[in-house]
Amino acid sequence: MDKLWRFSVPDVGSVQEIVSTARVSPVIAQLLCRRGITDPLAIRSFLDPKLTDLRDPELLPGLSQAADLIHRFIQQGKRFAVYGDYDADGMTAAATLFGCLQLLGADCIYYVPNRLEDGYGLNSEAIRSLHQRGREIVITVDCGVTANEQADLCRQLGMKLIVTDHHQFQLPLPDADAIVHPCLPGTSYPFPGLCGAGVAFKLAWALCQRASNAQRVRPELREYLLNAVGIAAIGTVADVVPLLDENRVLVHYGLRSLLASRLPGIRQLLKKIGLSERKSLSAEDIAFSIAPRLNAAGRLGQAQLGIELLVTQDESRAEALANYIDKLNADRESIERSVLTVANRMAKEQVEREDPPVLVLAQPSWHVGVIGVVAGRIAERYHRPAIVVSIDAAGSKPGIGSGRSPQYVDLHQAVSACKDYLVSCGGHAAAIGLKIEERNLPAFRAALCEYLISESQGLRPSPEIMIDAEAPLDLLDLQTVQMIEQLAPFGAHNPRPVFYAQQVVFAGEPKTMGNNGKHFQAKLKQKNNVFRAVAFGHGEWVEKISELSSPIDIAFRPVLSEFGGFTRIELHLMDWRQCNLDSSSVPVGSPSILTA
């Protein structure tokens, strides 16, 4: 489906006011205006975040009660278990809280369910196992807010349960001894966007204050918390929560923390993936290099190794774990490619046959560790929700499914409306998980299609690219792009700016790169300015573009690339279209040209 290019048309007066009051360049003023950040105090906080901008942890709903209980239980010599989740957010949250409890002298272990055998969340078998191992206190991280049955079991067994989570929930809440969540009923925490690792960091911070008997924590605990900011940054980026407010602070300082980290696992992981010698890290380094490796361990049923990598103090063990997890990531990529090939073929057939509002794809024995990633790829390619289900080959267990959705569809709400056909479901607007009997798949698919058609009145928005400004390539110098980098870290709700250039030609033949020609690369020229351009996941563009004889218009993101000790500008292509040389090709309401 062709993408619509939407152009930002900033208010000139607002831009000029930002320039004068905030004393920033016109480039930054225009981009801030585009993001709705116009108040001078908000601009200062956005461009120059401080650790002091993090709210007092005691303000987080339920945290004071949880911290008081845990602090008392430590003093009483109780035996703890930190119960995590198998994704990068859950691993980093578990590592953060486990490390804190160990440092405070607690008898503590960590436990994470096996994605392939146990499924998501707190499960009863694990609770019974922890009870048999003498664990008295269970603290969940990144899960537990929907575990009513398991909370009741803890009470029956005489175990204490403290839940820390950030996911959507339904009332009644579990009957736990304490629940920490940014959105507890009857509370009004100003920022609901914390991930599991962010919540765990706040709890660890409060525990360090109690252990220090002061707001200002002891030096060794301060060092721990500064390292923990880096761990929390990984979870924050990996969980694709908004990089605004407190999350922006955590990631801004977390990136510095990671590069300077004294944790053996972090050092070895950065070394393994070629980031240890970098002058600085970006949120994209987490999103595309660090988080996928942690997630690979979880996807292949070995999330406990990801946590161990983050908490070990043994340098040789850290090196072995970093190497092994890197190999797991390569294995995950291979499995993902094989599943995606089949899923893409099935999706294409469904679209060509009936153009449904949602794609429900199912096959026996698809690896459940990659179906979420595959669903995301399918949803992005066909611009509609996609649910990928792995059917149990033996037929003795329900199929396991993962769904992903474009922003315009609340997939959790849609699937919940069809829950009569499901064994279970959960998640949020953009991502869901479910279990379903194979015999119910046709009826579920039909009901889901009917619901989405009814809700959308049969309309489906075209995919869009929001363009911040026109940027002729002769204006893209290092100074300008370095200005743009002031808006980093980039991610959810603060995307890297997208620019537009007209009448661009190729300086040489475009080529594919990467495994199986997955990616696109070319040298692009406008007037006398030549830049290397890449488009990740768009190797098919080579054939399409090679057939053109006219210039093209491009939508792109300028990125600073370090190589061989030099910094250069690289263009990350978002889209392109054949250029029409008449005046009608200029968009109506064309934005101001980017100027430094």
Side-chain angles (χ1 to χ4, degrees), residues 101-121:
L101 291 172
Q102 269 205 325
L103 191 59
L104 298 181
D107 179 345
C108 185
I109 64 171
Y110 56 83
Y111 178 90
V112 59
N114 186 301
R115 184 180 198 132
L116 310 181
E117 298 173 3
D118 302 322
Y120 170 77

Side-chain angles (χ1 to χ4, degrees), residues 244-553:
L244 304 171
D245 204 281
E246 292 187 285
N247 288 340
R248 183 172 175 81
V249 178
L250 287 172
V251 175
H252 177 85
Y253 284 94
L255 291 169
R256 301 181 187 182
S257 170
L258 290 172
L259 206 53
S261 180
R262 298 175 64 181
L263 296 173
I266 293 297
R267 289 203 306 270
Q268 291 295 337
L269 185 60
L270 294 183
K271 180 180 178 182
K272 182 63 183 178
I273 57 184
L275 297 176
S276 58
E277 300 301 319
R278 292 273 293 273
K279 297 176 183 177
S280 62
L281 296 179
S282 69
E284 290 97 332
D285 290 323
I286 293 178
F288 299 116
S289 296
I290 299 173
R293 285 165 170 79
L294 292 177
N295 276 326
R299 293 186 187 282
L300 300 187
Q302 301 191 59
Q304 74 280 1
L305 297 183
I307 300 174
E308 185 183 356
L309 174 71
L310 297 174
V311 301
T312 184
Q313 296 298 317
D314 185 310
E315 198 75 42
S316 61
R317 179 61 176 165
E319 182 179 10
L321 286 168
N323 290 336
Y324 184 66
I325 285 174
D326 187 65
K327 180 182 181 302
L328 285 179
N329 187 53
D331 293 343
R332 186 270 309 168
E333 289 178 335
S334 177
I335 295 168
E336 180 188 320
R337 281 194 299 270
S338 65
V339 174
L340 183 59
T341 298
V342 178
N344 258 327
R345 184 173 65 247
M346 296 172 66
K348 183 180 179 182
E349 290 172 356
Q350 283 191 23
V351 170
E352 291 177 348
R353 185 173 62 246
E354 53 189 298
D355 195 25
V358 59
L359 294 166
V360 180
L361 313 172
Q363 277 281 92
S365 301
W366 269 345
H367 198 294
V368 298
V370 302
I371 56 177
V373 179
V374 170
R377 303 267 192 258
I378 297 292
E380 180 181 7
R381 179 166 184 172
Y382 294 97
H383 194 62
R384 69 197 73 198
I387 297 174
V388 178
V389 180
S390 175
I391 301 169
D392 180 44
S396 58
K397 299 178 182 178
I400 297 174
S402 286
R404 299 292 185 269
S405 177
Q407 290 183 352
Y408 70 89
V409 175
D410 186 330
L411 188 56
H412 182 264
Q413 178 178 309
V415 169
S416 297
C418 307
K419 64 182 179 182
D420 290 347
Y421 299 100
L422 304 174
V423 175
S424 63
C425 67
H428 49 81
I432 60 97
L434 58 81
K435 291 184 178 180
I436 184 171
E437 299 289 352
E438 182 179 3
R439 64 179 181 274
N440 289 333
L441 275 167
F444 169 69
R445 179 179 179 275
L448 190 58
C449 285
E450 183 178 350
Y451 174 87
L452 290 172
I453 290 171
S454 173
E455 287 293 303
S456 66
Q457 298 180 340
L459 301 175
R460 186 164 66 246
S462 298
E464 297 181 347
I465 291 182
M466 301 302 299
I467 296 177
D468 289 273
E470 183 178 357
L473 300 188
D474 59 353
L475 294 183
L476 285 181
D477 55 23
L478 280 176
Q479 180 184 8
T480 301
V481 180
Q482 285 167 346
M483 286 182 189
I484 294 168
E485 290 294 323
Q486 294 178 43
L487 275 69
F490 298 114
H493 293 241
N494 182 41
R496 185 177 286 276
V498 177
F499 300 107
Y500 160 75
Q502 299 186 73
Q503 300 183 32
V504 175
V505 298
F506 290 94
E509 292 293 321
K511 301 176 182 178
T512 60
M513 65 177 186
N515 292 331
N516 302 317
K518 185 177 179 180
H519 310 301
F520 170 95
Q521 65 173 329
K523 287 188 176 180
L524 297 180
K525 181 178 180 180
Q526 187 188 54
K527 298 181 181 178
N528 294 320
N529 303 282
V530 178
F531 292 92
R532 179 176 185 262
V534 298
F536 297 106
H538 287 290
E540 79 280 359
W541 283 1
V542 170
E543 184 177 351
K544 294 179 181 178
I545 288 178
S546 297
E547 299 172 354
L548 299 178
S549 58
S550 62
I552 60 172
D553 298 338

